[in-house]
Amino acid sequence: MATQRFRSRFDRLIALWILRIFSPNLCRASFIEGSSYADVDIADFLGLPKNDDEETIGKIPRLLDDLQSSLEQSVSTALPAQARDSFTRFAASIQLNPTEQRLLEFFACMEIEPPLADTCRIVRKFIGAETSRFLSKVLDLPRNAVTKAMAPGGRLMKCGLLKREHSNKTANPEFHSEALAVRLLRDSYNPARLLKLFGVVTLPPPDLGLEDFPHLQTSLNLLLPYLKIVQAKRKPGVNVLIHGAPGTGKSQLVRVLGQTLGMPVFDLDTADNDGDPLHADQRLSVLNLAQTYFHETQVLLVFDEAEDILTPSLSNRGMANTHKGWFNQMLENNRQPVFWISNSIETLDPAFSRRFDFILEVPIPPKTQRGRILREKAGNLASPGLIEHLAGIEHLAPAVITRARNVIQSIKQGIPKADRDAALTHVIGGILKAQGYPDPARATIQMVQPGLYDISHLNTSADLPQIAANLRKNPSARLCLYGPPGTGKTSFGHWLANEIRQPLLLRKASDLLSPYVGMTEQMIAQTFETAKRDGAVLLIDEVDSFLRDRTQTQNSWEVTQINEMLTQIESFPGILIASTNLIDQLDPASMRRFDIKLHFGYLLPDQASRLLVSYCRNLHLPPPTSADLKLASTMDLAAPGDFAAVARQHRFQPFHNAHSLLLAVIAESDLKTNRCRKIGFQ
């Protein structure tokens, strides 16, 4: 048979590989099945006779041997020049040896060249069972070199250039992808396009700057100099773990660090070219390839959404936990710094946490920063009042603001200007509700209403203005506010925070209590940490839920919660306000931890009269008569909260004069007397 029938040197190379596969000492029996070919297209490619009678088939082995002998002696079998250049340059970039390069070329051809692909399909089981023997015979390579190159820890497998089925270690090896094979065999060499096929993507410059992360300044003042030293000394094994709630700017922060250091930042995709999600081991293969590819270039690598790698769950132990030794070794030998980004690290194994050079939490920015982001992103879409209100939502992440802004910005021409506040709040509210947070549209915009809240209406012996003035100079104190419900304790916390120009972090008992053991303690600790980070006044309402007398508790977990609260109160450096209606039930150890204990009592006669005048004015009612004022001064159980409750009734059951308003307040306050009556026989 003549070898001239093959159109190119490349076709002759493919034909030689096929003939070696179907040689007598390898897989010939798989090609000739009785009196027919296993695949007529392969026979046609090789130029074999088309007749399949017994006489013709009997001549095929000799024809195959002659054709193989002729091609073996030919010097004109090779990859196309452009493909040869691409493979050589690519192999050099990821440090492949000659054996590894030959294997990569073969599997790439097997991926997109039909005659070779059909041939390997026929002998698929043989390849999977005797991979090293098969490849060494077909490619004329030393068997031990092939075995080493095809090992799971070898560069071809470790970098994902070749892959096997996840559930079958003996499965036939396959090339990375058809797209990569086409790029290497048929296109001119383009490193950036090749990297993108692997899922290594250059990230664009950040939208933010270092000035947008003032709440992380302490950490950044340490991390940046460290990364500069790493950059100068090319220190291996550098890993930084960044965690925090979704949308807080974790990925943006890495891009900012790269820009500051003058280092390109590359992201490792979570999906393949078809959009299918990559398994954990596939993503780690991409990381290994990127580490190898950038062995001479200084870059930052971003491994986003690292939860399935680092943190186990009930349904997934995590790749790191199932391959601990291997994963630890990888962390210690990284050539380029890797930023691992995760929304949660609650279940992170301590064996891994100690191997990270730096662990940085990126929380939701404090109120001042949220306000600045809102003004910059949505200042032309929202009123100043709405921006102030939204800035006070402590769980409002920057990404939520940006996404809602983009929605309203795109349709603002169809929204009347007067309705834009409601539209923006609606979009933000939908996202927050999906995250399990309250709808901001239903939140009270101002806890302390102008013209109604006046500290002169509070029945306490302390000099409240003087306390505020002193705390403005020295913002560190622990206050316990106690007294009956509705006497203005919580509102005083809002007033004080406003007076000393600090944000307020309000936590009710329901915000902190959890049905899961240990979770309440975590939420208590997190609350104090948030207040410390934001420089906020921390107001804990109904603190008696956490500070009950330990001698009266029945469960060990109750004691643990009390101990946690006492510990946090003791070490808190800022301003803490704890309010309770049941001070007589507090643990004795808690009392010495408060610097000031302020009693808030029911309204004094003149306070009740003045508050009646204020509410009449605010509700646009006629001023109270002298008889009304005299009657107001006789109330002995009235509180500011009673007036506030009655004012809410006015919205759907309007009062027509001061007297009807006053009677409603008296009825509200009389309910306290009813609650105090004993039930049962006397």
Side-chain angles (χ1 to χ4, degrees), residues 132-279:
S132 296
R133 176 172 171 249
F134 175 85
L135 293 172
S136 65
K137 291 286 186 181
V138 174
L139 301 178
D140 193 23
L141 294 170
R143 185 168 178 177
N144 61 341
V146 173
T147 301
K148 185 177 180 181
M150 295 297 294
R155 187 151 290 158
L156 293 176
M157 292 292 182
K158 196 173 180 181
C159 292
L161 297 167
L162 300 182
K163 56 188 179 181
R164 296 180 188 267
E165 292 181 9
H166 298 289
S167 59
N168 190 353
K169 296 288 185 180
T170 62
N172 189 24
E174 295 180 354
F175 194 67
H176 176 275
S177 66
E178 180 182 348
L180 180 63
V182 170
R183 186 75 66 187
L184 286 170
L185 285 167
R186 298 176 182 172
D187 294 344
S188 57
Y189 185 71
N190 187 313
R193 290 182 179 178
L194 289 176
L195 281 176
K196 190 172 182 180
L197 288 176
F198 282 103
V200 183
V201 184
T202 306
L203 288 175
D207 300 321
L208 305 177
L210 281 176
E211 67 278 2
D212 293 296
F213 297 92
H215 51 300
L216 304 178
Q217 199 59 54
T218 301
S219 295
L220 296 180
N221 286 344
L222 300 173
L223 180 57
L224 271 171
Y226 176 68
L227 291 174
K228 289 179 181 177
I229 294 295
V230 167
Q231 183 183 24
K233 295 184 176 181
R234 301 185 69 86
K235 181 179 180 294
V238 175
N239 295 274
V240 178
L241 176 57
I242 297 182
H243 66 99
T248 53
K250 301 183 290 294
S251 299
Q252 278 283 329
L253 176 61
V254 181
R255 288 154 65 181
V256 168
L257 293 173
Q259 185 179 67
T260 305
L261 296 167
M263 297 174 67
V265 181
F266 288 86
D267 185 36
L268 308 179
D269 269 349
T270 58
D272 60 20
N273 295 314
D274 298 325
D276 297 323
L278 292 174
H279 295 281

Side-chain angles (χ1 to χ4, degrees), residues 677-682:
R677 291 175 181 167
K678 294 182 180 180
I679 299 175
F681 297 102
Q682 298 187 29

Side-chain angles (χ1 to χ4, degrees), residues 457-473:
H457 297 153
L458 302 180
N459 180 12
T460 179
S461 59
D463 187 343
L464 300 182
Q466 186 61 49
I467 290 175
N470 292 337
L471 289 177
R472 193 180 299 117
K473 298 175 185 176

Side-chain angles (χ1 to χ4, degrees), residues 317-387:
R317 286 190 62 199
M319 183 72 178
N321 289 275
T322 55
H323 299 75
K324 278 191 174 183
W326 170 81
F327 188 73
N328 288 337
Q329 185 178 18
M330 188 191 71
L331 288 178
E332 293 168 359
N333 295 322
N334 282 342
R335 301 184 184 186
Q336 301 293 340
V338 179
F339 284 81
W340 303 80
I341 298 179
S342 176
N343 293 332
S344 173
I345 60 168
E346 288 184 3
T347 58
L348 179 67
D349 191 320
F352 300 142
S353 61
R354 69 181 180 84
R355 285 180 164 82
F356 287 99
D357 301 68
F358 210 96
I359 298 181
L360 171 62
E361 180 182 8
V362 182
I364 290 176
K367 180 179 179 180
T368 53
Q369 181 67 4
R370 294 195 299 270
R372 188 174 74 83
I373 294 171
L374 279 160
R375 285 188 291 273
E376 290 180 356
K377 301 291 185 182
N380 63 329
L381 301 173
S383 66
L386 179 61
I387 286 178

